Amino acid sequence: QLQLVESGGGLVQPGGSLRLSCAASGPTLDSYHIGWFRLAPGKEREGISSISVNSGRTYYADSVKGRFTISRDNAKNTVYLQMKNLKPEDTAIYYCAAGPDYGLGYLLHAHYDSWGPGTQVTVSS
């Protein structure tokens, strides 16, 4: 059974940085595509970044491109999201999710079938 758990969230000032981790237990993530999503108050769940664990190919939403970087450490079976120059509008619960490493719509929630419980990121002065 694949299980994902996020960590690294917290309170940070605008302009600050955080690194989120998505640690997997069970099978290796090597055959998976991992996405990061966020759910902000009053908004729909937004796909912000994803990565093919095997190939390293990455995808970003325009809202985070240039500020966030997704990466993976296959030896640790973990995917990271490095978030820089954080803004108040980045405040959300951040989720990682696993799905197949093929097809279209890597930033769409329907692509994924396994989800972590989420970690809260709050950007505030």
Side-chain angles (χ1 to χ4, degrees):
Q1 295 272 21
L2 175 65
Q3 294 187 359
L4 305 174
V5 60
E6 305 90 343
S7 63
L11 175 64
V12 64
Q13 293 186 339
S17 299
L18 285 173
R19 188 179 75 159
L20 304 183
S21 298
C22 175
S25 59
T28 177
L29 292 177
D30 192 56
S31 63
Y32 288 87
H33 198 97
I34 302 297
W36 282 98
F37 293 77
R38 64 187 182 185
L39 182 62
K43 297 184 179 180
E44 296 290 319
R45 183 173 295 181
E46 178 189 16
I48 55 174
S49 187
S50 72
I51 186 169
S52 165
V53 178
N54 186 42
S55 72
R57 179 73 181 269
T58 59
Y59 303 84
Y60 296 94
D62 289 342
S63 57
V64 306
K65 191 172 297 182
R67 297 189 298 123
F68 292 11
T69 302
I70 192 169
S71 63
R72 87 289 202 208
D73 186 336
N74 290 353
K76 295 182 180 292
N77 216 30
T78 299
V79 172
Y80 303 96
L81 185 68
Q82 179 68 57
M83 307 186 296
K84 299 179 179 179
N85 191 25
L86 284 161
K87 306 175 184 298
E89 52 264 43
D90 295 319
T91 295
I93 303 173
Y94 283 72
Y95 301 88
C96 65
D101 194 28
Y102 66 86
L104 303 174
Y106 290 130
L107 297 183
L108 301 178
H109 66 86
H111 183 79
Y112 300 91
D113 42 48
S114 298
W115 293 79
T119 185
Q120 177 71 47
V121 172
T122 302
V123 185
S124 176
S125 298

